[in-house]
Amino acid sequence: MGIVCPDESKRIEIEEFRRMLLSNAAVHRTKAGDEFQNPGKLPAANRHNRELEEKKVCVTSGVSFLGIAIVNQLLLRGYSVRVIVEKQEDLEKLREMEISGEMRQSMNTVEAVMARLNDIQSLSQAFSGCRGVFHTAAFVDPAGLSGYSKSMVEVEVLVTKNVTQACAITPSVRNCVLTSSLVACVWQDINSSRTIDHDCWSDEFICIDKKLWYALGKLKAERVAWNIARESGFKLATICPGLVTGPEFISRNPTPTIAYLKGAQEMFRNGLLATVDVNRLAVEHVLVFEDMKNTSYNRYISFDQVIRSEEELEKLARETGIDIRTTRSNSRTNSSNIVKLSNAKLCGLMSTIHRCHNEF
């Protein structure tokens, strides 16, 4: 495996194309005095080339906590991956990950491409030749303090809009998997809904009233993506994960972690504070993408644990360094107030290879 920059990638593609032409010419060459042809091998070669084309995908924010986990799972399953980077530092980080072993060793190619997330044409050029796009929507608050400020809501929406529009105008792209968030589902009037599942959406006015900017950004961005996908006709699937955890998650994924946990006490009281391991979530992204061959549009909720006890809440507080503990008077005392959280739809897809925790 090696990281390939755009110019080198173009040279390799030309060389591969040249070899393919020579190979095909050799198959059909007729020897003097001996009518030798081997057309039977041509379909197999074409099938192989088509398989390679189908296995080429692009990951935005590919050096993020979730992005690199998705890249590793794709490589494990035989994909060639193009990673979108916005600056030179991201490219250096990608190389460091390869050297350190954080990026899985593979015979397949990881190609780094510079693209501007605020430019649809730049994104379309980066997506060209890829069958699928994974938009992990990983952003860092420029202020570096609030986790996710109010101004970032429109940034999230704009970038997601650009990515989905670029998918729509890029001929090679057939499918897009968008990472949304469980907080785009849970912030609503719980008195009117006793089960939160993939059909549920957070209330925009509640998010604004409680200043839940991360939830609002994910909510609005996902809705924009769905509108563009349905108008344009390309396939879209969205995954709404709980708090993404894993090794050193608070230091490696600080902005989304801090932002997600705003309102954690209320989510805990309602039985809606859930987490998911980053590697499990990455596997789910790949399986959802592969299932899109059989489906058009799907939305999923992902989690593998619901924080149900004070002890579990205190453990999460220690891991994150964020005071999300509740006072005993604000703790859950009546189990009838707990809302059921269900990821049954995604579990149905995962059931063949993973044990699934659902409907807490």
Side-chain angles (χ1 to χ4, degrees), residues 318-337:
R318 288 194 303 271
E319 289 175 337
T320 60
I322 302 171
D323 188 7
I324 55 176
R325 295 167 296 178
T326 63
T327 61
R328 290 295 174 180
S329 60
N330 288 330
S331 299
R332 298 184 318 212
T333 56
N334 188 348
S335 61
S336 64
N337 293 331

Side-chain angles (χ1 to χ4, degrees), residues 33 42 69 90 120 153 194 216 280 310:
L42 185 58
D90 290 338
I120 296 173
V153 172
R194 305 310 301 170
L216 183 63
R280 175 194 173 91
E310 292 286 345

Side-chain angles (χ1 to χ4, degrees), residues 249-316:
F249 70 94
I250 185 59
S251 61
R252 297 176 61 191
N253 200 36
T255 296
T257 300
I258 295 169
Y260 189 101
L261 290 174
K262 186 171 184 179
Q265 294 179 356
E266 185 174 343
M267 285 190 285
F268 171 72
R269 289 195 299 271
N270 295 328
L272 298 173
L273 182 56
T275 64
V276 60
D277 179 77
V278 65
N279 291 315
R280 175 194 173 91
L281 181 58
V283 171
E284 291 171 344
H285 275 70
V286 179
L287 294 182
V288 164
F289 174 75
E290 293 178 345
D291 190 59
M292 293 176 79
K293 297 173 184 177
N294 308 313
T295 59
S296 296
Y297 306 103
N298 269 309
R299 187 173 191 246
Y300 303 90
I301 278 179
S302 170
F303 61 87
D304 56 16
Q305 181 186 18
V306 175
I307 306 299
R308 290 177 287 181
S309 70
E310 292 286 345
E311 291 73 22
E312 290 172 337
L313 188 66
E314 290 177 2
K315 180 177 182 291
L316 182 61

Side-chain angles (χ1 to χ4, degrees), residues 120 123-130 165-174:
I120 296 173
L123 286 167
S124 180
Q125 290 173 8
F127 295 165
S128 181
C130 295
Q165 285 183 335
C167 287
I169 67 172
T170 306
S172 64
V173 175
R174 298 173 183 171

Side-chain angles (χ1 to χ4, degrees), residues 25-43:
V27 167
H28 289 279
R29 183 174 58 246
T30 301
K31 293 184 178 181
D34 181 14
E35 293 295 317
F36 173 76
Q37 286 187 319
N38 193 3
K41 289 187 178 179
L42 185 58

Side-chain angles (χ1 to χ4, degrees), residues 55-122:
K55 287 281 192 176
K56 190 168 187 177
V57 296
C58 186
V59 180
T60 69
S61 301
V63 296
S64 67
F65 184 52
L66 174 59
I68 195 65
I70 292 174
V71 169
N72 280 333
Q73 289 300 325
L74 288 166
L75 292 173
L76 186 64
R77 297 177 76 89
Y79 288 85
S80 291
V81 185
R82 183 176 294 169
V83 176
I84 300 294
V85 295
E86 295 183 80
K87 49 188 182 296
Q88 185 65 29
E89 298 93 288
D90 290 338
L91 184 59
E92 294 301 323
K93 184 176 180 181
L94 202 60
R95 286 174 176 149
E96 289 173 4
M97 288 176 175
E98 183 183 27
I99 294 170
S100 68
E102 185 175 351
M103 182 182 294
R104 186 181 299 276
Q105 294 297 310
S106 170
M107 294 300 293
N108 301 300
T109 301
V110 176
E111 176 188 3
V113 175
M114 299 285 287
R116 298 182 299 278
L117 297 180
N118 61 352
D119 186 331
I120 296 173
Q121 289 301 323
S122 176

Side-chain angles (χ1 to χ4, degrees), residues 45 51 178 229 247 349:
E51 288 172 1
L178 168 68
L349 185 61

